[in-house]
Amino acid sequence: MFEDRHLLKRFKSGSRDALCEIYQKYENYLLSLAVGLLGDTNSAEDVMHDVFCKLIHSKDSIKLHGSLKGYLGTCVVNRARDGLRQRKRLQFHLEPDDSPADDTIAPDHSVIRTEETRRLCLALVQVPYDQREVIVLRLKGDMKYRQIATCLGISINTAKSRYRYGLNKLRSILLSKDDLESGVSKNETI
Amino acid sequence: MKPSDPIEQSVKGMDITASKDMHDRVLGKLLNEMDESEQNPKAVNRPVIWRTIMKSKMTKYATAAIVIVGIFVGLKMMGVEPDGATPAFGIQDVIDAMKKVECYHMVCSAKNVGFSDEETNARITTFTSTEAWGSIDNTFFISKNNLDGSIIYKESITDCTYSYDPKLNTITKSYDGHVNENISGTNFIDSTIQSVEKACQQAEGTIKYTDEILDGRKVKVITAILPHEIQSVIKIYVDDQKYRISKISLVQTNDEGQGGELIFDVDYPDICPSDIYEAGAPRDARIIDTYSDTRPSDKLKDLLEKHKTHQNSRLKRLTDKHIVVKVREQTITPTKYYYETKIYQRNGNHSRESRMAKKLDHKLVLKDDFDYQYNLWQSYNEAQTVKIKDDIYQYTLERVADLSQKWRLSNKRKKSPLFKYSADLWRSVISSGTSSTRIVSKKIIEDEYSKKHNLVCIEIKTKGWDDGRSSFIELPERCLCYLNPQKDYLCHRRCIIQEKDAPWQNDQTWLDDVDPKRIPKASMHVNQILEYATTKTGVLYARKTGSIPYEKANVADIDLNSIATSTTTIYLNENPTFQEGIFSVDTLIKSNDQ
């Protein structure tokens, strides 16, 4: 907490290094939230960019009442919801990777690094958004129900029930047929 | 305790990490934003409160002294409300005064110090025999031990550290930079702040301002009392007229009553030693340059420059009217195949990028022809994302994933970066994204493969790294980049070997406390250009690149195209005819109605 407040102070006074440190520190955490919420690495990247841009442009007026991590996490949630208002459903996109991929962990990492994560992301986007929010905030955002409730503007009981229903939905999706296969016929030749 | 749900565990363990490209891309844009938003020069806010927290043990006092000096030169303070009336002078006055200082000289002494362990006592003895010089902006720092005669001279401009050993009469020159491992960053102020942060934890204390007489002269005293597991009292004596720090006193006492006082007397000479010899090292001391491998030789620098400029070898040098289709095929398992296609279309200041990915249970048989590939991927009409750029904006459109498959404008942004073409292995040589402190050596070597194929091999060894946050640590790595002098020094092959027990990882115990799940498997990974091509305008490029099983990488007679597990192929049209409205967002949206 102390470190963050100090970082923020430096950032507010115009330190580029502080901005880099803040970004470096919370990059993966925020990216996890954004990808979990949106199921789309491109959109997640846009959300990250927008959140930090807003931070930059409003740095003089920011007053942190809680933690910087929580503040940025809430910004990601809000921004993701804004972006989602322009869409009805989500598609899952793979991270563009200019270097050839490999089954082992290659030096140029993709954002979504394992098949299991990919599978989970695909399943997660099929969970209703309000339930997905709670799941992601609880499991990837390490938030307690009280914090989630505050962030989303709902009651604690609502947060808990959304979490429960969302988890059940996720479970049923994962147990059903694999949604990764596309619809190309086996007999198709080109 | 209720057992954890496996689904919960899976979601919690989802491995999502920003790629280097994304990291560089986003951070670069943010820094530009920040630059543009800066209307005025940086202003040092007058610190109203000060909560400098010290969890520094007695053995870190030397660092702490430097930190204290740094604190008063631009450190943004958080802290405790002053106890008592508002002082006639404040920390800002000290900051302003210290900013004008060019260099300082500090001598350490101790009072009533006593610990039960010999090691602590020995280290304190070392400190109290030390005097130091330094510049406030950290361009240099000198530490001299008057007990044994050793000297350390650190020069930030050249990033060199010189260490004089009087017993061996040697001066060891190193390039890994900082005398204090806790200090990073180019600015002394920021680096001392980082040092404080690492040494501190939150505590509540008090601060007082008083006037005192010291050695017969008036001084202002700032006293910070920090109660914690180790009671600390920091007193900073400031010249009454000039507001420069003249003395720092650090008193600490632990629960067992052990501790004492360290004193740093500070003065400001007009001239400081300018090198290690002026600091006292003899000129006949033998120089040992132990880290020359991290500095590229002239030959290597020249080679890297050639690779970097590669006048004729960049797809970005294509004329501003072209279409690039980039198709990646990957064999994931014997029954699973992955295809990813990007289509870049450019006409002057307008451009369009579309992307699609498919996973199939059979291999597609594709023709090696631009028209075929372009029409194929266009006809699939399964692009999920399209980005269109004009002079000002970049628009991102996405498919709605229902039966309608309509397009929706999801984002609109200014100043977007150029689309990336990367069809070769440039990045492996130019920028590995590895900080210089991790690079152990970087040099030209010759091996069987480079000799056989008349290539120039650059070997880069890096140490492993654990930032404590990522899902996986980064293993030590040996990277071999084979540049092709016959092809504008394009990187023909890149071979990367990662293993945790690499001999150049000095500290072989670095993984002892790491969760084994965060340690990736050793890997060997080879990327190679399988086919070169030249455009009509003379741009040489890697038309086809592939990932090759390492065990087969040295077998020259095998058809490399057939054994590659993943290939990326570029198809070009340098004088295309574009469909009407291809760069129009409205056209794409209107297509929803068709």
Side-chain angles (χ1 to χ4, degrees):
Chain A
M1 177 84 80
F2 164 78
E3 184 180 6
D4 279 351
R5 289 178 64 180
H6 194 54
L7 259 180
L8 194 62
K9 275 240 175 183
R10 284 170 54 209
F11 166 68
K12 289 172 82 158
S13 67
S15 167
R16 284 163 58 95
D17 287 347
L19 171 65
C20 292
E21 284 177 48
I22 293 172
Y23 184 77
Q24 183 101 9
K25 187 173 180 180
Y26 294 115
E27 178 184 37
N28 288 335
Y29 167 74
L30 297 174
L31 186 64
S32 293
L33 290 183
V35 171
L37 289 170
L38 298 170
D40 175 0
T41 55
N42 295 327
S43 298
E45 180 178 331
D46 288 345
V47 164
M48 295 269 289
H49 172 268
D50 291 343
V51 163
F52 274 89
C53 275
K54 190 181 171 188
L55 188 74
I56 289 167
H57 292 296
S58 59
K59 64 179 168 66
D60 293 326
S61 58
I62 292 174
K63 285 186 182 174
L64 215 57
H65 300 290
S67 68
L68 181 58
K69 182 180 180 181
Y71 174 85
L72 291 171
T74 302
C75 289
V76 165
V77 169
N78 292 336
R79 186 65 194 87
R81 211 184 289 129
D82 288 342
L84 195 63
R85 285 195 192 112
Q86 302 178 41
R87 296 186 278 170
K88 286 186 180 177
R89 294 267 301 269
L90 300 173
Q91 277 294 313
F92 176 66
H93 296 275
L94 295 161
E95 168 69 4
D97 184 1
D98 288 332
S99 64
D102 198 333
D103 286 337
T104 62
I105 294 170
D108 292 322
H109 301 150
S110 293
V111 167
I112 296 170
R113 291 172 55 151
T114 65
E115 189 60 31
E116 175 64 14
T117 299
R118 201 182 299 248
R119 191 174 76 93
L120 282 166
C121 282
L122 270 180
L124 209 45
V125 297
Q126 296 178 60
V127 175
Y129 190 78
D130 54 350
Q131 296 170 6
R132 189 189 326 144
E133 265 185 330
V134 182
I135 291 173
V136 170
L137 289 177
R138 181 141 174 92
L139 295 177
K140 293 305 290 181
D142 295 324
M143 288 190 187
K144 298 180 180 170
Y145 284 121
R146 184 175 298 278
Q147 292 169 303
I148 294 170
T150 304
C151 176
L152 300 181
I154 56 178
S155 70
I156 295 176
N157 285 337
T158 301
K160 286 182 180 177
S161 62
R162 284 184 187 177
Y163 180 76
R164 192 168 57 250
Y165 289 132
L167 217 56
N168 287 339
K169 175 73 176 171
L170 184 63
R171 190 176 292 111
S172 68
I173 292 167
L174 288 169
L175 289 175
S176 66
K177 187 178 177 181
D178 189 344
D179 289 327
L180 278 178
E181 296 293 334
S182 68
V184 178
S185 163
K186 282 189 182 182
N187 295 323
E188 180 179 3
T189 54
I190 299 162
Chain B
M1 180 186 285
K2 186 179 177 182
S4 189
D5 186 321
I7 299 289
E8 287 179 311
Q9 284 181 336
S10 296
V11 175
K12 200 167 176 60
M14 281 193 340
D15 191 1
I16 297 171
T17 313
S19 64
K20 182 193 172 302
D21 282 351
M22 179 189 280
H23 175 86
D24 290 349
R25 187 167 55 238
V26 176
L27 189 57
K29 281 187 274 186
L30 293 176
L31 289 171
N32 287 338
E33 283 282 347
M34 189 155 182
D35 289 342
E36 288 174 11
S37 74
E38 286 289 319
Q39 298 294 324
N40 299 303
K42 292 179 192 177
V44 175
N45 295 323
R46 186 188 177 94
V48 177
I49 53 176
W50 173 28
R51 186 183 290 144
T52 300
I53 295 117
M54 296 291 287
K55 194 199 173 187
S56 177
K57 295 181 180 177
M58 291 291 282
T59 53
K60 292 181 183 177
Y61 272 16
T63 304
I66 300 168
V67 163
I68 296 291
V69 171
I71 282 174
F72 286 88
V73 190
L75 175 64
K76 311 303 175 285
M77 299 191 184
M78 295 166 283
V80 183
E81 290 293 339
D83 185 12
T86 304
F89 88 107
I91 294 169
Q92 184 61 45
D93 298 293
V94 179
I95 292 173
D96 291 340
M98 294 299 289
K99 270 184 176 178
K100 296 172 189 168
V101 168
E102 289 194 4
C103 67
Y104 62 87
H105 172 241
M106 195 185 296
V107 176
C108 179
S109 58
K111 266 189 192 177
N112 304 320
V113 173
F115 283 90
S116 55
D117 66 288
E118 288 304 315
E119 184 188 351
T120 303
N121 285 332
R123 291 176 75 171
I124 291 172
T125 303
T126 303
F127 287 140
T128 57
S129 310
T130 301
E131 64 180 313
W133 297 262
S135 61
I136 295 296
D137 63 2
N138 204 33
T139 51
F140 77 92
F141 175 78
I142 306 169
S143 167
K144 183 175 180 180
N145 187 316
N146 291 317
L147 201 62
D148 63 13
S150 62
I151 305 169
I152 294 174
Y153 181 88
K154 164 75 178 78
E155 191 175 64
S156 65
I157 292 174
T158 56
D159 202 27
C160 288
T161 300
Y162 301 84
S163 305
Y164 169 63
D165 183 341
K167 287 182 191 168
L168 302 175
N169 198 29
T170 56
I171 296 175
T172 303
K173 184 180 178 186
S174 62
Y175 296 89
D176 56 0
H178 308 285
V179 176
N180 183 334
E181 289 180 355
N182 287 329
I183 293 179
S184 61
T186 56
N187 179 277
F188 178 60
I189 308 310
D190 287 338
S191 64
T192 53
I193 291 170
Q194 290 172 34
S195 192
V196 172
E197 288 171 350
K198 286 182 178 163
C200 291
Q201 66 176 23
Q202 195 160 6
E204 293 184 359
T206 57
I207 181 170
K208 290 183 181 179
Y209 298 90
T210 53
D211 293 310
E212 293 184 16
I213 302 292
L214 179 69
D215 299 331
R217 62 182 194 280
K218 285 184 185 175
V219 289
K220 306 282 187 188
V221 184
I222 304 168
T223 303
I225 301 172
L226 304 162
H228 195 57
E229 67 217 31
I230 298 177
Q231 171 89 5
S232 302
V233 177
I234 305 170
K235 293 182 86 167
I236 299 169
Y237 299 81
V238 175
D239 183 284
D240 185 55
Q241 300 298 320
K242 295 182 180 176
Y243 294 136
R244 294 189 303 195
I245 297 170
S246 57
K247 178 178 170 180
I248 302 169
S249 161
L250 298 162
V251 178
Q252 280 193 344
T253 312
N254 63 17
D255 291 339
E256 297 165 18
Q258 298 172 1
E261 180 182 11
L262 281 184
I263 300 161
F264 296 86
D265 290 294
V266 188
D267 62 276
Y268 305 94
D270 292 329
I271 300 173
C272 284
S274 61
D275 57 34
I276 199 166
Y277 299 112
E278 290 191 11
R283 294 204 176 258
D284 63 352
R286 184 168 64 94
I287 306 285
I288 301 174
D289 194 337
T290 60
Y291 292 95
S292 57
D293 274 352
T294 64
R295 302 296 239 190
S297 62
D298 288 339
K299 188 178 176 186
L300 178 57
K301 278 194 274 190
D302 180 56
L303 184 65
L304 289 174
E305 193 56 36
K306 282 177 182 164
H307 172 80
K308 186 178 174 183
T309 55
H310 49 277
Q311 294 296 326
N312 295 320
S313 309
R314 276 191 172 183
L315 283 182
K316 285 182 182 174
R317 297 185 194 277
L318 290 174
T319 58
D320 61 3
K321 186 179 179 185
H322 57 259
I323 298 176
V324 174
V325 179
K326 187 173 167 186
V327 180
R328 183 170 83 172
E329 302 178 56
Q330 182 179 353
T331 304
I332 301 173
T333 70
T335 57
K336 289 255 188 299
Y337 301 88
Y338 170 75
Y339 295 87
E340 185 179 355
T341 299
K342 298 174 193 173
I343 300 178
Y344 306 94
Q345 302 181 73
R346 183 177 172 191
N347 190 6
N349 289 333
H350 290 74
S351 56
R352 172 175 169 144
E353 173 193 339
S354 58
R355 184 185 301 119
M356 67 201 78
K358 304 171 74 65
K359 198 172 188 179
L360 303 173
D361 58 4
H362 67 282
K363 190 172 168 61
L364 294 175
V365 179
L366 303 173
K367 292 180 188 172
D368 189 19
D369 172 73
F370 170 82
D371 287 334
Y372 173 86
Q373 294 282 352
Y374 182 61
N375 293 325
L376 169 70
W377 299 110
Q378 293 277 69
S379 69
Y380 261 117
N381 203 29
E382 289 189 28
Q384 299 303 323
T385 307
V386 171
K387 291 181 182 175
I388 292 175
K389 289 172 59 178
D390 56 23
D391 293 335
I392 303 171
Y393 294 104
Q394 172 179 297
Y395 308 85
T396 302
L397 298 101
E398 292 179 344
R399 293 278 199 185
V400 177
D402 57 18
L403 290 177
S404 70
Q405 288 284 292
K406 292 184 178 180
W407 290 102
R408 286 278 185 268
L409 179 64
S410 65
N411 200 348
K412 178 180 169 183
R413 175 198 294 175
K414 268 189 181 181
K415 294 183 182 178
S416 55
L418 288 174
F419 297 137
K420 291 173 63 176
Y421 288 140
S422 175
D424 48 52
L425 308 176
W426 299 113
R427 287 172 291 139
S428 58
V429 179
I430 294 301
S431 168
S432 65
T434 307
S435 74
S436 61
T437 53
R438 282 183 56 202
I439 294 177
V440 173
S441 69
K442 192 173 189 178
K443 55 189 177 185
I444 298 174
I445 67 167
E446 200 169 44
D447 62 9
E448 193 180 321
Y449 188 86
S450 67
K451 278 191 281 190
K452 189 168 187 176
H453 299 278
N454 296 317
L455 303 171
V456 182
C457 179
I458 301 173
E459 178 200 62
I460 305 166
K461 288 181 185 171
T462 53
K463 289 189 282 191
W465 169 251
D466 178 15
D467 64 4
R469 300 195 303 270
S470 303
S471 302
F472 293 92
I473 60 161
E474 294 190 39
L475 293 176
E477 180 181 290
R478 181 174 180 240
C479 176
L480 300 171
C481 299
Y482 297 89
L483 306 193
N484 191 340
Q486 308 303 320
K487 300 287 184 186
D488 286 353
Y489 292 91
L490 275 170
C491 181
H492 177 77
R493 167 190 286 223
R494 181 186 69 181
C495 177
I496 294 177
I497 303 150
Q498 293 181 328
E499 52 181 335
K500 67 182 174 75
D501 297 322
W504 56 88
Q505 185 76 19
N506 293 335
D507 177 16
Q508 293 294 324
T509 65
W510 73 296
L511 294 177
D512 284 357
D513 296 326
V514 175
D515 181 355
K517 290 178 192 169
R518 294 183 61 232
I519 304 174
K521 293 184 293 185
S523 66
M524 292 181 289
H525 187 91
V526 179
N527 293 354
Q528 186 167 312
I529 296 177
L530 302 180
E531 185 181 327
Y532 294 91
T534 306
T535 69
K536 291 173 188 170
T537 52
V539 175
L540 176 68
Y541 65 102
R543 182 172 181 272
K544 194 169 183 179
T545 59
S547 172
I548 300 166
Y550 183 81
E551 59 272 13
K552 300 194 183 203
N554 287 323
V555 181
D557 295 335
I558 286 184
D559 177 9
L560 297 173
N561 285 281
S562 66
I563 63 171
T565 54
S566 171
T567 59
T568 299
T569 310
I570 298 283
Y571 300 92
L572 274 181
N573 185 336
E574 294 177 81
N575 190 22
T577 303
F578 295 108
Q579 296 171 356
E580 193 175 335
I582 194 78
F583 300 111
S584 163
V585 174
D586 292 335
T587 301
L588 200 59
I589 298 289
K590 281 178 187 169
S591 70
N592 289 336
D593 300 326
Q594 294 169 5

